[in-house]
Amino acid sequence: QVPLVESGGGSVQAGGSLRLSCVAPINTFRGNCMVWFRQAPGKEREWVVGIYTGHGSTSYADSVKDRFTISQDYAKNTVYLQMNSLKPEDTAMYYCAAPRRGRPPCTLTEMKHYNYWGQGTQVTVSS
């Protein structure tokens, strides 16, 4: 199984923006939930945002609502995470994940529900 491939992490100052990308195999991407988790040092991995690629419905954790936007390019089997107004507490390794066959609203927060993962991309926000 080809893994999910993330890109786009980096270092920014507080208030800045970054855009992450996640490319998935076509059979994983289409008609499925694609989500982002993040894990800060010493903390558990937490669900951040999800999108159902079948019709584009989205769900967000309260901590990122109104700052982060998930979107998709259906033709490229790619989801994007646009992160604006970044805060130091957003610093974490960000992981793209997908279940074997998800259904909306794509808000399952436990890692055990996800079969496919990327290698992660680091986001660092300095104050």
Side-chain angles (χ1 to χ4, degrees):
Q1 176 67 43
V2 176
L4 310 180
V5 180
E6 305 107 329
S7 61
S11 297
V12 296
Q13 291 191 326
S17 298
L18 284 172
R19 190 176 81 154
L20 308 183
S21 300
C22 172
V23 182
I26 187 171
N27 290 334
T28 300
F29 178 86
R30 299 197 171 184
N32 199 5
C33 289
M34 298 292 297
V35 307
W36 289 93
F37 278 77
R38 67 184 180 186
Q39 187 167 19
K43 295 189 176 182
E44 292 187 354
R45 196 170 297 188
E46 64 172 351
W47 176 89
V48 176
V49 60
I51 186 168
Y52 181 64
T53 63
H55 50 60
S57 61
T58 59
S59 301
Y60 296 87
D62 288 342
S63 58
V64 305
K65 200 172 294 184
D66 299 327
R67 299 188 300 121
F68 290 12
T69 302
I70 189 170
S71 61
Q72 63 174 339
D73 186 326
Y74 200 77
K76 296 182 178 180
N77 303 332
T78 301
V79 294
Y80 303 99
L81 182 61
Q82 178 67 43
M83 305 184 295
N84 298 329
S85 303
L86 282 162
K87 305 175 181 180
E89 51 264 43
D90 294 317
T91 295
M93 186 73 80
Y94 283 70
Y95 297 91
C96 182
R100 187 163 286 117
R101 187 54 63 202
R103 289 292 179 263
C106 301
T107 54
L108 295 176
T109 59
E110 295 179 302
M111 292 176 59
K112 67 179 183 180
H113 296 294
Y114 298 92
N115 304 94
Y116 311 114
W117 291 86
Q119 79 286 356
T121 185
Q122 178 67 39
V123 171
T124 302
V125 185
S126 58
S127 57

